[in-house]
Amino acid sequence: MFDFKVLSRSTNTAGRVGRLSTPHGILSTPQFMPVGTLGTVKGITATQLKDTNAQMILANTFHLHLQPGEAIIKESGGLHSFMSWDQPILTDSGGYQVFSLGKLNKIDDFGVSFKSPRDGSHIELTPEKAIQIQMDLGADVVMAFDQCPPYPASKVEVEEACKRTHLWLERCVATHSKEDQALFGIVQGGCFLDLREESARRVASFHLPGIAIGGVSVGEPSDQIHKIVRHVAPLLPNEVPRYLMGIGTIREMAVAVANGVDFFDCVLPTRLGRHGTALVRDERWNLRNACFRNDYQPLDTTCVCETCTNYNRAYLHHLIRNDELLGLTLLSLHNLSHLIRFSRAMAVAIEDDCFSEDFAPWQKSSIAHYTW
Amino acid sequence: MFDFKVLSRSTNTAGRVGRLSTPHGILSTPQFMPVGTLGTVKGITATQLKDTNAQMILANTFHLHLQPGEAIIKESGGLHSFMSWDQPILTDSGGYQVFSLGKLNKIDDFGVSFKSPRDGSHIELTPEKAIQIQMDLGADVVMAFDQCPPYPASKVEVEEACKRTHLWLERCVATHSKEDQALFGIVQGGCFLDLREESARRVASFHLPGIAIGGVSVGEPSDQIHKIVRHVAPLLPNEVPRYLMGIGTIREMAVAVANGVDFFDCVLPTRLGRHGTALVRDERWNLRNACFRNDYQPLDTTCVCETCTNYNRAYLHHLIRNDELLGLTLLSLHNLSHLIRFSRAMAVAIEDDCFSEDFAPWQKSSIAHYTW
């Protein structure tokens, strides 16, 4: 039911083109996953989301457990049916959110108890419960419950989080029993490369159908992200998909793909869209800026998304200036399309062996310009 | 370029099915027009709007004059191009908004001066200027600049507003010079039937390609609306389309159509949608209500709109409860589809001569049930 094939490899990088088969269809890698925290990619219908060429999307177990609760979603026929998305879905485990959003009461090897940021109620999450919730939600890919240390954190703290993450992974594996769902493990270790190595070795030893690099993009500078990715990705099993969590910027995606990472998720394209910012090439444009007031070109003249095909910059400026809902939707649609387009350009460049870490296909001087 | 044909008539009411041809296509009447105040039907793309079966939409001259200004829209290729809507558009004249939203400084026979509700700047509108702005915006149908008295108002006040409206209409007609654009006159007169009669006679005497009943739905009870419509609609010229401004409730639309009105506009379906309310049959459902929490039926089981085809009530409840943008979009889409569907059901019932003022085709006992 799950199958990952590497279809093509780059010779001068570790970049690869792959295909992950899931019960709800294909994930072509390299790929970017839009984030639908509460079972909705904010402001975007399922039909529009398909038009961005999105394949797999991510939803958050932590948020969905708090509202509407996994019982409602299970009764509704599972998350695919609930949110009307018939393509692959991945749920994270809630680990990251427990530590970033919850008011922690207690954490020990058994699990975590915290106050709901929603209504202050007492909530307990354990590896067993996180997996049970994810089985109820019914995504195609589910993530192990991990402890994600903040940045910065001392080596002792990170080491403890790693040990707990590995202990919990064993219990996640023991609990998970849904055949049409793949459980991925998560490598932690913060910015400490020896801890990352040990974590990669331990997580790989479970021989799961996929593996993720977690605990990045938690506040560390981007050269740290690059250092971690360059060090960890080559240590991961070759035959399964590799997922770098929480990354969604052009440069970090290219570096990660060049080091053998297969897919990504990030709230950035939709969050930026809701704040009036558009992704164009590797730039961020604030559409509130007066320079767009009478600019009648498409947002990105090279993009074929719904936004760029139908509307001009002056109109988007007008919508954003007037806090019109449509502006947020149109910019989010473009930003998602942009990162997915970049993913597909990387795939073509890998197939044609003109991919590199500094991949920037919009540049006319790039040998990979034709992929854009 | 403009042509209105009555295709079918009801025998027991004054209801009629018609077709207005415009430079951007057909308006099949009876019909409901979505409102896109600032050149956007809030939260809805042009593609989604077409899926509601919308034909002609309304945009507001007052708002578009304040932002982004007609110069930007004209330079962008006109309103159709600016907002990417290639079907018919009607712009109102700004008269209603000047009196309801502006801080009036002065009103006399020359025109109106007021403070912009946006930035406090001094703005002057005259019949000539309102028409010039609308010619720049480039809609298919434009409305005469009128004085819309509030409710309640004394007979002397309403009479003065009528006289001014007729005086201004003459200047609107003299100013309007765009051949691919039709100018409609507006009948005023408040709740005073003799003033309404006089206004209908005066406006009709201009032999314009369309005529509207204005100054309703300004706060008066619905039996007053019915009284005005029943009295005025039969006095209007037979050979041109008749537009009842600001109406968008099932009952008022049916009464108006039964008295020979052809089309409508109203912000209600989108405004209600943004507040979490759905139109189902002739009811309003608040999707926040806990009864929808685990209701897995489509919103309206008889509706084929994008919302009802793809999502269930529990999901919509979840979105609305969590203030998710998508909830507002999905409810607005359904509400628009609902009123347009009701319009088309009225058309079928008129063609088959089973239409009546109390038309309620969702009732199984209705002889027109098949039209739903």
Side-chain angles (χ1 to χ4, degrees):
Chain A
M1 200 167 282
F2 288 90
D3 174 55
F4 181 69
K5 278 203 171 58
V6 174
L7 305 174
S8 193
R9 290 181 186 279
S10 160
T11 52
N12 55 338
T13 75
R16 56 196 206 167
V17 170
R19 188 180 59 207
L20 174 66
S21 303
T22 82
H24 288 87
I26 295 296
L27 180 73
S28 311
T29 64
Q31 191 58 268
F32 176 80
M33 288 193 294
V35 176
T37 300
L38 269 171
T40 159
V41 177
K42 292 189 189 303
I44 292 179
T45 66
T47 307
Q48 291 173 321
L49 196 52
K50 282 195 187 169
D51 287 344
T52 67
N53 294 318
Q55 291 182 327
M56 181 149 82
I57 62 174
L58 177 144
N60 290 112
T61 293
F62 177 85
H63 292 89
L64 290 172
H65 174 60
L66 298 183
Q67 61 259 350
E70 60 276 13
I72 292 283
I73 292 175
K74 189 179 185 183
E75 264 185 45
S76 184
L79 191 52
H80 292 87
S81 161
F82 187 61
M83 66 184 293
S84 194
W85 183 251
D86 59 7
Q87 295 180 196
I89 301 178
L90 177 150
T91 44
D92 68 4
S93 64
Y96 175 77
Q97 281 79 20
V98 165
F99 297 102
S100 60
L101 300 177
K103 286 190 178 173
L104 272 183
N105 285 334
K106 202 180 70 171
I107 171 163
D108 59 23
D109 285 349
F110 178 69
V112 182
S113 70
F114 59 97
K115 278 196 174 175
S116 160
R118 187 171 168 76
D119 59 10
S121 64
H122 177 83
I123 298 183
E124 213 171 60
L125 268 184
T126 61
E128 290 77 10
K129 184 154 182 195
I131 294 298
Q132 186 56 55
I133 296 170
Q134 291 187 84
M135 289 196 289
D136 287 346
L137 295 175
D140 300 275
V141 176
V142 302
M143 302 303 296
F145 190 62
D146 59 336
Q147 180 175 350
C148 178
Y151 177 87
S154 72
K155 189 161 185 180
V156 172
E157 290 171 311
V158 175
E159 192 165 15
E160 194 188 358
C162 278
K163 279 189 184 155
R164 191 164 282 142
T165 294
H166 304 148
L167 183 77
W168 286 354
L169 177 54
E170 202 169 330
R171 286 158 57 191
C172 287
V173 170
T175 305
H176 189 258
S177 62
K178 196 162 153 46
E179 284 201 355
D180 59 351
Q181 192 174 61
L183 170 65
F184 283 23
I186 302 177
V187 174
Q188 289 290 350
C191 296
F192 304 99
L193 298 185
D194 54 336
L195 296 181
R196 286 282 181 184
E197 274 180 38
E198 167 67 7
S199 185
R201 202 181 55 74
R202 290 291 300 273
V203 176
S205 73
F206 285 87
H207 301 290
L208 293 166
I211 195 161
I213 303 174
V216 293
S217 198
V218 292
E220 75 281 21
S222 68
D223 62 338
Q224 283 288 334
I225 298 177
H226 295 180
K227 200 175 81 176
I228 296 166
V229 167
R230 287 198 175 101
H231 196 81
V232 177
L235 305 175
L236 303 181
N238 205 23
E239 65 285 3
V240 300
R242 301 152 174 172
Y243 162 30
L244 179 60
M245 304 180 80
I247 291 293
T249 51
I250 292 284
R251 192 47 41 219
E252 279 65 44
M253 284 169 68
V255 168
V257 166
N259 286 280
V261 168
D262 300 303
F263 68 99
F264 308 89
D265 78 281
C266 193
V267 295
L268 207 64
T270 40
R271 182 171 291 164
L272 288 175
R274 290 200 306 284
H275 288 89
T277 299
L279 302 173
V280 179
R281 297 183 291 269
D282 54 356
E283 299 163 9
R284 295 183 188 180
W285 291 2
N286 182 348
L287 265 293
R288 280 188 179 273
N289 196 309
C291 69
F292 297 114
R293 191 172 160 272
N294 57 353
D295 184 339
Y296 306 113
Q297 297 175 81
L299 177 56
D300 179 339
T301 52
T302 71
C303 178
V304 297
C305 79
E306 178 170 0
T307 303
C308 294
T309 309
N310 292 298
Y311 305 95
N312 65 32
R313 296 172 189 172
Y315 184 66
L316 295 169
H317 170 81
H318 165 67
L319 295 179
I320 294 297
R321 275 281 175 126
N322 289 287
D323 297 323
E324 282 286 350
L325 293 178
L326 184 59
L328 319 180
T329 296
L330 292 179
L331 290 188
S332 296
L333 278 177
H334 166 74
N335 289 348
L336 291 175
S337 302
H338 181 72
L339 293 189
I340 292 165
R341 176 190 184 198
F342 183 71
S343 303
R344 302 325 298 150
M346 287 194 286
V348 173
I350 291 168
E351 281 164 359
D352 295 354
D353 217 2
C354 59
F355 179 69
S356 61
E357 235 188 59
D358 59 355
F359 187 62
W362 49 83
Q363 290 175 350
K364 291 209 172 112
S365 59
S366 164
I367 54 163
H369 183 51
Y370 72 97
T371 65
W372 195 235
Chain B
M1 200 168 280
F2 288 90
D3 174 54
F4 181 68
K5 278 202 170 58
V6 174
L7 304 174
S8 193
R9 290 181 186 279
S10 159
T11 53
N12 55 338
T13 75
R16 57 196 205 166
V17 171
R19 188 179 61 206
L20 174 66
S21 304
T22 81
H24 289 87
I26 294 296
L27 180 73
S28 311
T29 65
Q31 190 58 267
F32 176 80
M33 288 193 294
V35 176
T37 300
L38 269 171
T40 159
V41 178
K42 292 190 189 302
I44 293 178
T45 67
T47 307
Q48 291 173 320
L49 196 52
K50 281 194 188 170
D51 287 343
T52 68
N53 294 318
Q55 291 183 328
M56 181 149 82
I57 62 174
L58 177 144
N60 290 112
T61 293
F62 177 85
H63 292 89
L64 291 172
H65 174 59
L66 298 183
Q67 61 259 350
E70 60 276 13
I72 292 283
I73 292 175
K74 189 179 185 184
E75 264 185 46
S76 184
L79 191 52
H80 292 87
S81 161
F82 187 61
M83 65 183 294
S84 194
W85 183 251
D86 59 7
Q87 295 180 196
I89 301 177
L90 177 150
T91 44
D92 68 3
S93 64
Y96 175 77
Q97 281 79 20
V98 165
F99 297 102
S100 60
L101 300 178
K103 286 191 177 172
L104 272 183
N105 284 334
K106 203 181 69 171
I107 170 163
D108 59 22
D109 286 350
F110 178 69
V112 182
S113 70
F114 60 97
K115 277 195 174 178
S116 160
R118 187 170 168 77
D119 59 10
S121 63
H122 176 83
I123 298 183
E124 213 171 59
L125 267 185
T126 61
E128 290 77 11
K129 185 155 181 194
I131 294 298
Q132 186 56 56
I133 296 170
Q134 290 187 85
M135 290 196 289
D136 286 346
L137 294 175
D140 300 274
V141 176
V142 301
M143 302 303 296
F145 190 62
D146 59 335
Q147 180 174 350
C148 178
Y151 178 87
S154 72
K155 189 161 185 180
V156 171
E157 289 171 312
V158 175
E159 192 166 15
E160 194 188 357
C162 278
K163 279 189 184 154
R164 192 164 281 143
T165 294
H166 304 148
L167 183 76
W168 286 354
L169 177 54
E170 202 170 330
R171 286 158 58 192
C172 287
V173 170
T175 306
H176 188 257
S177 62
K178 196 162 152 48
E179 284 201 355
D180 59 350
Q181 192 174 62
L183 170 65
F184 283 23
I186 302 176
V187 174
Q188 289 290 349
C191 296
F192 304 99
L193 298 185
D194 55 336
L195 296 182
R196 285 281 180 185
E197 274 180 39
E198 166 67 7
S199 185
R201 201 181 55 75
R202 290 292 299 273
V203 176
S205 73
F206 284 88
H207 300 290
L208 293 166
I211 195 161
I213 302 174
V216 293
S217 197
V218 292
E220 76 281 20
S222 68
D223 62 338
Q224 283 288 334
I225 298 177
H226 295 179
K227 200 175 81 177
I228 295 166
V229 167
R230 288 197 175 102
H231 196 81
V232 177
L235 305 175
L236 303 181
N238 206 23
E239 66 284 3
V240 299
R242 300 153 174 171
Y243 162 30
L244 179 60
M245 303 180 81
I247 291 294
T249 51
I250 292 284
R251 192 48 40 219
E252 280 65 44
M253 283 168 68
V255 168
V257 166
N259 286 279
V261 168
D262 300 302
F263 68 99
F264 308 88
D265 79 281
C266 193
V267 296
L268 208 64
T270 41
R271 182 172 291 164
L272 288 175
R274 290 200 306 283
H275 289 88
T277 300
L279 301 173
V280 179
R281 298 183 291 269
D282 54 356
E283 299 163 10
R284 295 183 188 181
W285 291 2
N286 182 348
L287 265 293
R288 280 189 179 273
N289 196 309
C291 69
F292 297 114
R293 191 173 159 271
N294 58 352
D295 184 340
Y296 306 112
Q297 297 175 81
L299 177 56
D300 179 339
T301 52
T302 71
C303 178
V304 297
C305 79
E306 179 170 0
T307 304
C308 294
T309 309
N310 292 298
Y311 305 95
N312 66 31
R313 296 173 189 172
Y315 184 65
L316 295 169
H317 170 81
H318 165 67
L319 295 179
I320 294 296
R321 275 281 175 128
N322 289 288
D323 297 323
E324 282 286 350
L325 293 177
L326 184 59
L328 319 180
T329 296
L330 292 179
L331 290 187
S332 296
L333 278 177
H334 166 74
N335 289 348
L336 290 175
S337 302
H338 181 71
L339 293 189
I340 292 165
R341 176 189 185 199
F342 183 71
S343 303
R344 301 325 298 149
M346 287 195 286
V348 173
I350 290 168
E351 281 164 359
D352 295 354
D353 216 3
C354 59
F355 179 69
S356 61
E357 236 188 57
D358 59 356
F359 187 62
W362 49 84
Q363 290 175 350
K364 291 209 173 113
S365 59
S366 164
I367 53 162
H369 183 50
Y370 73 97
T371 65
W372 195 235

